Amino acid sequence: MARHTTSPQAERLIKKYPNRRLYDTQSSAYITLADIKQLVLDNAVFKVVDAKTGDDLTRSILLQIILEEESGGVPMFSAEALAQIIRFYGHAMQGVMGTFLEKNIQVLMDIQDRMAEQSQGLYQQHFGPEAWAQLMSMQTPALQNMMNNYIEQSRGLFVQMQDQMQDQARNMFSAFPFPGQPPEGKKKKK
């Protein structure tokens, strides 16, 4: 099943009240974080707002769901990975990190969708849901290996791009005398 829908959905409005209750205006009922998680899993378009101020609370609600998921069951992030993410806040690379994570998550989703599409006809005709789940669980190490290779290639390209940018900056600013830089013609030999 592809994650991307072709017809735009109307945005579902959920109001959060001071008593911490969440009200779904579409179903006219109070809902829980588990219900919002299900909306996410169903690819529903929604927005959570503070009932009093109208402030957008969607991100904080999604973070609460992630916190609950990380606290129970099998966590997705190690303590070291979470510490590294925290270190990026307020750092010059904060924007780059967010974009990097978003793009890589999208790549992973695209790979997952493509694998499901390619194997749907073949495996669903010959195997039941249990056999399919078992097959996919065996594919996890292969998928992790593929993603590790992708990350290593990305890192290599990033380092190469960084070196090229540094060389370009050095060439651009070589005409300007900077403290500690030998004058042109008296450069140190490597």
Side-chain angles (χ1 to χ4, degrees), residues 12-15 17 21-32 35-36 39:
R12 194 170 186 159
L13 183 65
I14 299 168
K15 295 182 180 182
Y17 286 92
R21 293 189 72 184
L22 299 162
Y23 184 77
D24 183 352
T25 59
Q26 182 175 318
S27 66
S28 299
Y30 286 101
I31 62 173
T32 65
D35 296 320
I36 293 180
L39 291 175

Side-chain angles (χ1 to χ4, degrees), residues 22 32-41 46 48 58-72:
L22 299 162
T32 65
L33 286 178
D35 296 320
I36 293 180
K37 178 185 172 187
Q38 190 58 51
L39 291 175
V40 171
L41 294 173
F46 66 90
V48 181
T58 308
R59 290 183 70 253
S60 67
I61 294 296
L62 293 173
L63 285 168
Q64 282 182 319
I65 293 168
I66 290 171
L67 178 61
E68 284 188 4
E69 291 294 318
E70 285 290 310
S71 298

Side-chain angles (χ1 to χ4, degrees), residues 47-157:
K47 183 177 184 178
V48 181
V49 297
D50 185 289
K52 189 184 279 188
T53 65
D55 291 344
D56 188 347
L57 303 175
T58 308
R59 290 183 70 253
S60 67
I61 294 296
L62 293 173
L63 285 168
Q64 282 182 319
I65 293 168
I66 290 171
L67 178 61
E68 284 188 4
E69 291 294 318
E70 285 290 310
S71 298
V74 180
M76 190 179 302
F77 298 103
S78 67
E80 181 58 30
L82 291 170
Q84 291 290 58
I85 290 170
I86 290 168
R87 288 182 190 112
F88 274 101
Y89 285 97
H91 189 275
M93 296 290 286
Q94 179 176 344
V96 173
M97 178 62 165
T99 302
F100 174 80
L101 288 174
E102 283 183 34
K103 297 284 185 193
N104 279 286
I105 288 171
Q106 185 59 53
V107 166
L108 183 60
M109 289 171 49
D110 291 347
I111 290 169
Q112 187 178 15
D113 285 347
R114 185 161 179 168
M115 283 177 61
E117 286 173 9
Q118 288 176 342
S119 57
Q120 187 174 20
L122 175 66
Y123 294 116
Q124 287 186 348
Q125 290 174 4
H126 303 290
F127 300 113
E130 297 84 18
W132 175 247
Q134 187 178 8
L135 177 70
M136 288 310 291
S137 70
M138 290 187 298
Q139 294 298 321
T140 300
L143 185 59
Q144 285 176 338
N145 189 34
M146 183 176 70
M147 288 307 295
N148 286 340
N149 290 337
Y150 167 75
I151 295 296
E152 286 301 317
Q153 288 175 354
S154 295
R155 181 174 19 161
L157 289 172

